[in-house]
């Protein structure tokens, strides 16, 4: 009889506690999580999506979604930034599983220590993947140079390869949205990340001034607008599910802290434990009820991605709906936790205070609530 191999666990409790201890310092000093990154690389976590035959851990999206929630419970900003590396490696694995090896170099690069960043977002560009203000200029040999400005580039101090996109308006078959991978040359990073929350992610503005992707690093040339290409689906699926996981991890940590706090507090007026107060109990129960419903939804949709479920046109409403439910729900849970934990949680040194600030970032990630409602309405009712 053979036994199934144990699932690798690159995030043991001791590592998470060290990361948690550093999170408060990075938040207060607005610094990048260099030590976290070094330890996560050493544990193999940045190779989590990489198949074992390429030197990785061979984990799938359902497993990594759980791990990202755990990491976010220790350090939300670290988890959010690592998400962007995991998105690209997750896309590469999704394509590989479907017989498309156009991003195999990403999997092999991650196995060799590359750190990937996600250079897609642009100020004021609500087209997201369907258009770009960045110029993609063909070099005549199948490669492209990129010229433009990307915002919210997490891992700014540490990435080695940036997956980015721009618009080719020059080629005979233009316009084409071009996806390519570039190194540091031809890029610069503004030191402009001084935010309310998610401070350690150091998601700075990136200037592309001729950053070059050679022909073998140009992975797609697509028509602008919605596109059935699997790279578009892969980005949406991994981004939305892993974002949902991070914010769900924040919600769980806030709930755990609230339970721990109210068990310790007593009322000066009555002498009774706060845990026995009916109003406090209602708040805690409400937080649990809200929190408990999201992880199964993440798991189910991640398994559908992994299993290539035939959702067809319903895929995008499902993915964006999950992201909005998870991020909005996490805000509700953290709010309940703050309300029952007393005035000490208002101090910046409180972990709950940091979670309260970090969870607000969820509303800014694509897809936002407005575009999500538009996507879902179009799926149900047709275009307006």
């Amino acid at each position: 009889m053979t036994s199934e191999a144990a699932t690798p666990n690159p995030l043991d409790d001791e590592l998470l506690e060290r990361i948690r201890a550093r999170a408060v310092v990075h938040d207060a000093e607005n610094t990048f999580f260099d030590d976290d990154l070094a330890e996560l690389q050493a544990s193999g976590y940045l190779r989590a999506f990489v198949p074992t035959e390429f030197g990785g851990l061979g984990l799938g999206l359902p497993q990594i979604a759980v791990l990202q929630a755990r990491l976010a419970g220790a350090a939300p900003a670290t988890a959010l930034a690592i998400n962007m590396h995991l998105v690209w490696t997750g896309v590469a694995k999704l394509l590989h599983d479907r017989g498309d090896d156009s991003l195999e170099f990403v999997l092999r690069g991650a196995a060799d220590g590359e750190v990937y960043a996600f250079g897609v977002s642009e100020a004021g560009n609500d087209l997201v993947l369907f258009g770009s203000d960045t110029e993609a200029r063909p070099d005549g040999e199948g490669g492209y140079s990129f010229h433009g400005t990307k915002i919210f580039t997490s891992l700014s101090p540490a990435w080695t390869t940036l997956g980015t996109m721009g618009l080719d308006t020059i080629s005979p078959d233009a316009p084409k949205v071009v996806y390519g991978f570039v190194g540091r040359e031809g890029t610069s990073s503004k030191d402009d990340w001084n935010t309310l929350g998610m401070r350690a992610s150091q998601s700075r503005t990136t200037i592309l001034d001729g950053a070059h992707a050679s022909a073998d690093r140009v992975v797609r040339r697509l028509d602008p607008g919605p596109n059935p290409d699997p790279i578009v689906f892969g980005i949406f699926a991994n981004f939305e599910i892993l974002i949902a996981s991070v914010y769900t991890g924040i919600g769980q940590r806030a709930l755990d802290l609230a339970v721990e706090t109210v068990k310790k507090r007593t009322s000066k007026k009555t002498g009774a434990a706060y845990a026995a107060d009916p109003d406090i109990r209602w708040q805690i129960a409400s937080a649990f009820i809200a929190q408990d419903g999201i992880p199964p939804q993440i798991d189910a949709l991640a398994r559908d991605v992994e299993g290539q479920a035939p959702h067809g046109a319903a895929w995008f409403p499902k993915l964006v709906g999950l992201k909005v439910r998870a991020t909005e729900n996490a805000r509700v849970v953290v709010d309940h936790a703050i309300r029952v934990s007393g005035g000490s949680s208002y101090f910046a040194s409180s972990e709950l205070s940091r979670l309260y600030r970090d969870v607000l970032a969820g509303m800014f990630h694509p897809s936002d609530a407005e575009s999500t409602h538009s996507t879902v309405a179009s799926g149900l009712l047709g275009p307006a």
Side-chain angles (χ1 to χ4, degrees):
M1 180 168 28
T2 60
S3 60
E4 198 172 303
T7 300
N9 178 21
L11 296 181
D12 62 47
D13 290 344
E14 292 182 0
L15 171 57
L16 289 175
E17 284 308 313
R18 290 194 297 274
I19 289 173
R20 188 192 313 282
R22 292 191 286 257
V24 63
V25 178
H26 291 308
D27 177 71
E29 298 180 355
N30 194 27
T31 52
F32 184 66
F33 56 91
D34 294 286
D35 291 340
D36 296 357
L37 181 60
E39 289 209 67
L40 291 168
Q41 286 180 303
S43 77
Y45 193 53
L46 273 64
R47 297 182 282 112
F49 266 125
V50 178
T52 54
E53 62 264 32
F54 296 155
L57 302 187
L59 301 183
L61 186 55
Q63 296 159 308
I64 293 174
V66 172
L67 291 171
Q68 276 297 89
R70 291 192 70 218
L71 180 57
T78 295
L80 179 65
I82 293 296
N83 245 18
M84 305 311 160
H85 171 90
L86 292 174
V87 166
W88 278 127
T89 55
V91 172
K93 178 186 182 297
L94 181 146
L95 294 178
H96 177 74
D97 289 347
R98 289 157 172 77
D100 180 345
D101 289 332
S102 57
L103 266 70
E104 183 177 306
F105 69 88
V106 170
L107 297 173
R108 294 189 181 278
D112 290 338
E114 294 275 3
V115 178
Y116 293 95
F118 193 70
V120 171
S121 296
E122 298 168 342
N125 181 9
D126 57 359
L127 293 171
V128 194
L129 298 181
F130 300 151
S132 178
D133 294 328
T134 296
E135 294 181 46
R137 300 176 188 170
D139 64 6
E141 299 178 350
Y144 279 86
S145 63
F146 293 88
H147 303 259
T149 301
K150 302 294 184 178
I151 60 172
F152 299 142
T153 312
S154 300
L155 296 166
S156 280
W159 63 263
T160 60
T161 299
L162 181 71
T164 192
M165 60 179 286
L167 190 66
D168 174 1
T169 61
I170 298 172
S171 297
D173 61 349
K176 293 289 184 181
V177 175
V178 179
Y179 289 87
F181 287 78
V182 304
R184 285 275 183 179
E185 187 176 353
T187 76
S188 59
S189 178
K190 293 184 178 180
D191 188 8
D192 59 355
W193 191 249
N194 186 12
T195 50
L196 181 67
M198 293 295 187
R199 288 161 66 81
S201 71
Q202 290 301 301
S203 305
R204 302 171 185 174
T205 298
T206 300
I207 308 300
L208 303 176
D209 187 16
H212 185 255
S214 57
D216 62 341
R217 294 296 183 263
V218 174
V219 295
R220 288 297 190 276
R221 296 178 72 254
L222 305 177
D223 292 331
N227 196 295
D229 191 281
I231 197 171
V232 175
F233 172 74
I235 292 171
F236 262 103
N238 283 276
F239 190 94
E240 302 294 66
I241 289 173
L242 293 176
I243 284 289
S245 301
V246 165
Y247 287 88
T248 299
I250 295 174
Q252 185 60 55
R253 177 60 178 170
L255 175 58
D256 292 343
L257 287 172
V259 169
E260 180 183 310
T261 298
V262 300
K263 284 182 175 179
K264 294 177 179 177
R265 298 180 69 207
T266 56
S267 168
K268 294 290 186 182
K269 185 183 345 184
T270 66
Y274 271 50
D277 184 292
D279 295 327
I280 297 291
R281 296 173 71 86
W282 178 275
Q283 293 270 12
I284 292 288
S286 295
F288 175 86
I289 292 166
Q291 177 68 24
D292 193 49
I294 301 297
Q297 296 178 43
I298 295 174
D299 182 68
L301 202 55
R303 289 181 185 279
D304 281 356
V305 171
E306 200 85 343
Q308 303 182 39
H311 290 311
W315 264 118
F316 289 101
K318 286 178 178 291
L319 289 165
V320 298
L322 174 67
K323 180 268 173 182
V324 167
R325 279 197 305 279
T327 54
E328 293 296 321
N329 188 79
R331 290 176 59 204
V332 170
V333 173
V334 176
D335 187 73
H336 282 301
I338 287 280
R339 288 175 184 274
V340 301
S341 296
S344 62
S345 63
Y346 194 63
F347 283 82
S349 58
S350 163
E351 185 176 357
L352 270 175
S353 171
R354 175 164 49 81
L355 296 179
Y356 193 74
R357 290 182 286 107
D358 285 346
V359 81
L360 295 177
M363 70 178 78
F364 299 111
H365 304 296
S367 293
D368 62 23
E370 292 79 13
S371 66
T372 292
H373 281 77
S374 176
T375 297
V376 173
S378 293
L380 295 173
L381 304 172

